[in-house]
Amino acid sequence: MGDFELNPFYELIIDDLVNRKYSVVDCFFSEEEINLLRANLLLKQDLHSFKKAAIGQASSEQIIEEVRGDSILWLDEKEPDEVEQMYFNKVNHFLEYVNRTCYLGIQEGEFHYACYPPGTCYKRHLDIFQSDSRRTLSVVLYLNDQEWTPAYGGELALYLQDEHGNEREEIVHALPGRLVVFDSKSIEHEVKMVNHTRYSITGWLKTR
Ligand SMILES: O=C(O)CCC(=O)C(=O)O
Ligand SMILES: [Fe+2]
């Protein structure tokens, strides 16, 4: 492994992923980086209109607002702006580490900005499609402003199995700067109804 250097912070995330298939960390990006990413999202929202997100894939895509109410804009990894480049650098650095230590064979990512207006949600679902099972890790970064409070709703609920096979709901508040990484293939999840506009970047790390 030559120049391999153990990264204790990444190791914590990987331990979580191995032990419980999800991880929640609050300091992957600095507060300043989060502010830059949020400002960038708001700028893009003015320049390019975000599109109402669909469910399903390709020919079976449908927009059903009661099921999924966010609007999205895909990031172009080939032509990132400076702030997006910072995001990709950090995510790719983590990704290379995960590939070297866990042999997940992740080859590429896909990422979009998301905005959930008040009154919207994303009902319980799994992030893989029948026709495309390459998604391996889901990565969600919340870009809400610093005043965000749990009273705004929009929690991410992860549906987990306990050791007896019973289902348990793990609630994650969409606090600014919080990064949630989870197993795309096994963890069903849901975005609860929001009553305040909720911002994020969601990405998927995929095998080829
Ligand atoms: O924003 C979140 O907390 C999760 C979003 C999500 O589940 C998705 O976009 O597939
Ligand atoms: Fe999802």
Side-chain angles (χ1 to χ4, degrees), residues 68 70 72 112 114 116 122-123 125-127 135 138 140 142 154-157 172 174 180 182 189-191 198 200-202 204:
R68 176 172 188 187
D70 59 328
I72 63 167
H112 65 57
Y116 288 77
Y122 191 166
K123 291 264 157 61
H125 65 281
L126 204 57
D127 280 350
R135 286 179 171 181
S138 302
V140 191
Y142 299 113
E155 307 89 334
L156 171 68
V172 181
V180 189
F182 60 89
H189 55 282
E190 164 169 3
V191 178
R198 177 189 192 269
S200 55
I201 296 181
T202 303
W204 293 275

Side-chain angles (χ1 to χ4, degrees), residues 30 32 38 48 54 59 77 103 126 128 134 161 205:
S30 69
E32 193 191 338
R38 181 190 318 109
H48 319 255
S59 59
E77 203 167 350
Y103 310 105
L126 204 57
I128 51 167
R134 292 173 298 163
Q161 306 281 332
L205 308 180

